Amino acid sequence: MKRGSTIKILIENNYEEMCTKTASLIAEEIIKNPKIVLSLPTGSTPVECYDRLVQFHKEQGLDFSEVCCFGMDEYISLAQDNPQSYYYFLNRHLYRHVNIDKRNTFSPNVLAGNRQQACDEYTDMIKERGGIDLILLGIGRDGHIAFNMPSDEIQAYTHVELLSEETISDNARFFEKLEDVPTQAMTLGINNIISSKKVILIASGQEKAEVIGEF
Ligand code: GLP
């Protein structure tokens, strides 16, 4: 976002309408720029946006062939083919249903021995592609975006984050038991996020009302 960028707040009637609106905004950007660099989140909130995008691809030929996508975060040590990994999630809900070239889909290298180097490489890969054109964000109940936990210290670029107890317990619903939830993740930093040319943040439901009310 450039300094002085316009911020628009859109309030839709319900979750389905929010997702349709969001998917339409993303589709418009893909049509304007077929080589768009996206960064996309996981979580329950964006699921129907992905369903709509898949629908636009299947019914209206929305073309992902040159689209590039950077996952915004990933649990430490979960390989891309691990069903709990965020790459797996994006593949399950979006990539495998559209004509995106898998070589243009990325996630932080959470298996790397040298994690700092892997983080720096991820930031460099984004820069090499000209930066993120459009990032879609969800938000945690505690206000976290990607895996940037609320803290006095803001991390600018891709880094390893220790997850808060609240986030671990919120995300435990995707795992068999609480102890299975990884306690660390690699995530884009705040500069990676706000230097995206466009940012869309979506939130829905009573449990997000408090944090959204703080905006
Ligand atoms: C995880 C993800 C975030 C996401 C958040 C909220 O912690 N790392 O990117 O925004 O969950 O998820 P939900 O949409 O399920 O509330």
Side-chain angles (χ1 to χ4, degrees), residues 76 107-128 157-160 186-187 192:
I76 288 292
S107 59
N109 181 5
V110 289
L111 303 178
N114 186 335
R115 290 182 183 154
Q116 187 52 53
Q117 190 183 329
C119 289
D120 296 343
E121 281 171 5
Y122 204 59
T123 292
D124 288 345
M125 280 164 68
I126 295 171
K127 275 195 204 139
E128 279 159 22
Y157 298 104
T158 315
H159 61 282
V160 174
M186 245 179 222
T187 177
N192 295 122

Side-chain angles (χ1 to χ4, degrees), residues 41-46 73 86 138-140 144 146-147 167 171 173 208:
T42 57
S44 326
T45 312
D73 48 11
Y86 280 2
I139 190 164
H144 76 264
F147 263 136
T167 299
N171 290 351
R173 68 190 191 278
K208 300 288 170 69

